[in-house]
Amino acid sequence: NAGVMQNPRHLVRRRGQEARLRCSPMKGHSHVYWYRQLPEEGLKFMVYLQKENIIDESGMPKERFSAEFPKEGPSILRIQQVVRGDSAAYFCASSPTTGLAEPRTDTQYFGPGTRLTVL
Amino acid sequence: AQSVTQLGSHVSVSEGALVLLRCNYSSSVPPYLFWYVQYPNQGLQLLLKYTTGATLVKGINGFEAEFKKSETSFHLTKPSAHMSDAAEYFCAVSDIKAAGNKLTFGGGTRVLVKP
C-alpha cells in the first residue's frame, strides 16, 4: 500500500505566480489535512477536507489560498499570487474513514511534503 | 485554545545515553496526545499516541511516553540513544473543538546524537 504522495517535492515560483500542490492520500483514506511548516517552526494546521467537502478551513489565510479534494483525483492546495512569506514546507496527511471510532484518535499519515520557495 | 510546549528546541545526547524530550500541553478536557518524528527532508512518522487507558505508552524504535494528567505532560523517552535517532521530534494534541483530528503541534525538538 503506497503511502501519501505529494508532488512536486520542490517548487520554485516567482512573486505573483501561482503554486499548485498536489496530494494523493493513502488508498482507502477519505480524510485529508494540510499543514504548513515555516522555517524553524512546528507544523500549523491549514485545512481539513473530505471528498468534495471542506470541513474545517480555520487555518487557511483569508486570501490567495484555496483547497479542494474532488471526487476523483488528488487534493489540491492552491496559492495565488505567491509572496516570499509563503516559502515553507507544505505537508499533507490522510486518515481513514473512522466509522464508529473517535476521529480524534485517528492516526494521520504524512506525505514527504512540498517545499515551496518564492523568489 | 489548546497549545503544546516543547522545552528545548535542541537536545544533544551521547550514543547509549537516555533520551528525554519534554512536552507540556494545555487542554480543558482529557486530551489525545501524539509524538511524531521527522527525518531530514521527509514527512512526519507517528512514534506513539495516547488516547485512553494505560498512561505509559510504548511506540516504535524503543520510544515510550507517559501521560501525566496532574502535570499536563507527555514526555518522550528512550533508554539508550542510537545514531539513527537523530531527527526532529514533534508533540501534538488533538483539537477538541474541531471536526476530525486537527492537530496542534509543539515547536519541535531537534535531537543530535554524538558518537
Side-chain angles (χ1 to χ4, degrees):
Chain A
N1 189 8
V4 177
M5 310 279 284
Q6 288 188 251
N7 67 79
R9 294 291 307 275
H10 299 275
L11 182 61
V12 179
R13 285 287 178 267
R14 296 189 182 280
R15 282 179 296 170
Q17 292 184 319
E18 178 180 287
R20 280 186 179 234
L21 288 62
R22 294 174 182 76
C23 169
S24 297
M26 290 180 69
K27 187 176 181 180
H29 287 195
S30 59
H31 301 240
V32 167
Y33 301 80
W34 285 93
Y35 294 86
R36 178 166 64 176
Q37 184 178 32
L38 294 170
E40 303 302 320
E41 292 188 17
L43 281 75
K44 298 287 195 295
F45 168 79
M46 298 183 75
V47 62
Y48 163 45
L49 310 103
Q50 294 179 20
K51 286 282 188 181
E52 299 184 281
N53 282 301
I54 298 174
I55 308 301
D56 181 351
E57 57 182 346
S58 58
M60 289 278 271
K62 294 288 186 271
E63 297 177 347
R64 302 187 297 108
F65 285 71
S66 62
E68 63 178 11
F69 188 15
K71 186 176 180 180
E72 301 289 340
S75 175
I76 306 286
L77 180 67
R78 183 182 179 204
I79 311 172
Q80 295 178 293
Q81 299 176 323
V82 296
V83 301
R84 288 215 174 110
D86 297 332
S87 295
Y90 292 82
F91 290 95
C92 165
S94 72
S95 66
T97 304
T98 59
L100 296 176
E102 165 58 67
R104 291 192 300 120
T105 69
D106 292 339
T107 296
Q108 291 182 29
Y109 296 84
F110 282 79
T114 293
R115 280 155 182 82
L116 173 65
T117 301
V118 180
L119 302 178
Chain B
Q2 293 176 284
S3 67
V4 177
T5 302
Q6 291 183 240
L7 293 177
S9 59
H10 292 80
V11 168
S12 180
V13 298
S14 298
E15 192 174 17
L18 171 72
V19 179
L20 170 60
L21 305 182
R22 300 180 186 275
C23 173
N24 289 88
Y25 66 91
S26 68
S27 177
S28 57
V29 298
Y32 296 145
L33 296 155
F34 304 77
W35 273 102
Y36 281 86
V37 60
Q38 184 181 30
Y39 298 101
N41 297 316
Q42 295 186 27
L44 279 69
Q45 179 182 5
L46 181 71
L47 278 177
L48 49 80
K49 64 181 179 182
Y50 169 76
T51 53
T52 57
T55 56
L56 182 61
V57 181
K58 294 188 184 299
I60 62 171
N61 301 340
F63 284 93
E64 62 183 36
E66 186 170 12
F67 169 59
K68 292 187 177 180
K69 183 179 178 180
S70 61
E71 298 178 6
T72 61
S73 69
F74 190 55
H75 301 331
L76 182 71
T77 60
K78 180 174 180 177
S80 177
H82 191 272
M83 296 299 292
S84 61
D85 295 326
E88 189 155 21
Y89 294 79
F90 292 95
C91 182
V93 61
S94 285
D95 188 325
I96 59 169
K97 295 183 179 178
N101 191 15
K102 170 185 172 182
L103 295 175
T104 298
F105 284 88
T109 299
R110 193 176 299 275
V111 173
L112 171 66
V113 181
K114 299 177 292 185

